[in-house]
Amino acid sequence: MEKLMLLLLLFSLSSYGQNEQIGNVSRVIDGDTIDVVIDGEAHRVRYIGVNTPERNEGCFSEASEANNLMVMGKTVRLVKDKSETDRYGRLLRYVYAGDTFVNEELVRQGYAEAVLYKPDSEYYEQFAEIEKSVAAIGLGCHATGIFKDESLIR
């Protein structure tokens, strides 16, 4: 019985780790994209479940700087949902810098909107609830109206 319990524990631990990677942030591209070095190899990473303003849009610099302050030069934990990459070859991940859930924190500070990119939906409802509260008080980029496209699914 002890051997069975040990095997089950080891299997659950190994399964948990299969969807995670550790890397170091070498560059912040914008508010929702970073370059991360994993095992000596550079990867572009796109945050799952959020969207920040693009380079030609208002609040781009503010969202990029918020992301930069949270992750630049730091060791991050990258967690996969369902998809490995997007159509541009970027890894799709939830990003943690220490105890900070970066995807969520960008929404909480008003620099990102919650967006459902199917099939990756594990935290969508959570992000959307946070965004409702933040948008109601016009925090961060919400004050600019940049996120008022009425589309939450991409």
Side-chain angles (χ1 to χ4, degrees):
M1 185 64 161
E2 286 179 34
K3 285 183 181 180
L4 178 59
M5 294 300 290
L6 182 60
L7 284 173
L8 287 173
L9 176 63
L10 289 173
F11 177 74
S12 67
L13 289 174
S14 65
S15 295
Y16 177 76
Q18 288 178 358
N19 287 330
E20 293 189 12
Q21 298 164 294
I22 301 295
N24 294 305
V25 177
S26 59
R27 183 174 175 211
V28 172
I29 305 303
D30 58 24
D32 54 32
T33 308
I34 55 178
D35 285 344
V36 178
V37 178
I38 304 167
D39 295 329
E41 188 175 327
H43 297 272
R44 184 136 303 165
V45 177
R46 173 66 165 82
Y47 298 173
I48 300 172
V50 300
N51 186 53
T52 62
E54 300 301 327
R55 191 169 303 280
N56 61 343
E57 297 177 326
C59 209
F60 169 83
S61 296
E62 293 87 341
S64 297
E65 181 60 17
N67 190 24
N68 188 63
L69 290 171
M70 282 189 266
V71 301
M72 186 59 209
K74 296 184 180 174
T75 298
V76 292
R77 183 167 54 102
L78 307 171
V79 181
K80 179 180 156 185
D81 193 330
K82 292 187 176 49
S83 303
E84 183 68 29
T85 60
D86 66 7
R87 64 183 177 205
Y88 304 109
R90 301 176 295 189
L91 297 177
L92 295 172
R93 299 293 187 268
Y94 298 109
V95 178
Y96 296 83
D99 293 332
T100 302
F101 184 7
V102 178
N103 310 50
E104 178 181 85
E105 191 60 25
L106 287 166
V107 175
R108 189 176 307 287
Q109 293 180 16
Y111 294 113
E113 65 180 328
V115 179
L116 178 59
Y117 294 94
K118 291 182 179 182
D120 302 299
S121 60
E122 184 173 352
Y123 293 101
Y124 172 72
E125 293 296 328
Q126 180 176 323
F127 294 168
E129 283 301 312
I130 293 167
E131 184 184 2
K132 282 180 194 174
S133 300
V134 169
I137 59 172
L139 192 62
C141 296
H142 289 281
T144 70
I146 190 72
F147 299 136
K148 292 191 178 201
D149 65 359
E150 305 303 323
S151 177
L152 298 178
I153 300 175
R154 306 288 155 122

